[in-house]
Amino acid sequence: AEYMGTLMARWIAAVLAAAAAALFVVHPSAALVAAKMLAVLALVLAGAVAVLYRRLAPWRDPALRVRFNCECGAVTGHVEAHRPTRIVCYCIDCRNYAHYVDARRAESGRRQMRAAPLLDEYGGSAIVQVFKSEVFVDAGADRLQPTELPNSKLVRVYATCCGTPLFNTRADMAFVGMPEAAFGDGDVFGPVTMRFFG
């Protein structure tokens, strides 16, 4: 999108430059003033086109629709993501939350029903990031419970029915992170594009 926006901006600038050159040939005395006006107009139009294209281009692509659910199936939903980001996070906060979930399950006697653990062999959490407006809970919304760990800025939401973690976000964030395990297979979102440490 950024490449196309830049290409269109350069095309507009070239057209206006050609117009200024033609005016110089026909009316040399007025060429200087006209050239300055056309230069300003070219900058304004080029900037407007680039910004508009960046804003609209992502929504020209079809959304990727993928279903998610908690481990027992009481909470179900889907995402309609245009540009999901697949990451692996190794931060202390995510690792602490994974241990917190395991401890809660052990206390309640719940067993892990999924084959995929919350942490990989290196202590990383596989997460898919999508915009909040792209997440839809179809059933079991009353079973979603937010929680915050001490010294953590993230709000993490889990299903009270089986303890499955489903979302993490903050009020000042436009996106939400969802564990890949909620989707069953994260490969549908493409390759991992980022790895975070902290």
Side-chain angles (χ1 to χ4, degrees), residues 70-71 97 101 104-105 110 118 158-165:
C70 68
E71 293 178 0
Y97 183 66
V101 170
R104 283 183 57 87
R105 284 175 169 168
R110 297 187 182 110
L118 289 178
Y158 66 93
T160 57
C161 45
C162 56
T164 304

Side-chain angles (χ1 to χ4, degrees), residues 89 91-98 100 146-157 167-173:
C89 185
C91 76
I92 295 176
D93 193 73
C94 283
R95 282 182 283 170
N96 286 342
Y97 183 66
Y100 168 81
T147 186
E148 293 183 57
L149 295 183
N151 302 318
S152 174
K153 297 180 179 180
L154 285 177
V155 176
R156 299 180 182 271
V157 181
F167 314 108
N168 65 74
T169 188
R170 284 195 329 224
D172 59 347
M173 295 172 91

Side-chain angles (χ1 to χ4, degrees), residues 5 7 13 15 29 33 37 66 78 100 110 131 142 146 157 162 171 188:
L7 194 63
V15 171
S29 60
V33 175
M37 294 177 63
V66 185
H78 67 280
Y100 168 81
R110 297 187 182 110
F131 286 109
D142 58 322
V157 181
C162 56
V188 69

Side-chain angles (χ1 to χ4, degrees), residues 1-88:
E2 292 184 5
Y3 171 76
M4 289 300 297
T6 303
L7 194 63
M8 292 177 67
R10 289 178 178 176
W11 182 83
I12 291 174
V15 171
L16 291 175
L23 182 62
F24 180 79
V25 173
V26 178
H27 298 288
S29 60
L32 184 59
V33 175
K36 290 181 179 180
M37 294 177 63
L38 286 173
V40 172
L41 182 61
L43 289 174
V44 172
L45 287 177
V49 169
V51 170
L52 185 63
Y53 196 89
R54 286 173 190 168
R55 288 183 178 274
L56 295 181
W59 283 267
R60 294 164 60 91
D61 302 327
L64 180 65
R65 183 185 176 98
V66 185
R67 298 196 61 80
F68 65 85
N69 58 269
C70 68
E71 293 178 0
C72 71
V75 179
T76 61
H78 67 280
V79 298
E80 295 181 7
H82 290 274
R83 289 192 175 182
T85 303
R86 189 181 179 195
I87 70 170
V88 178

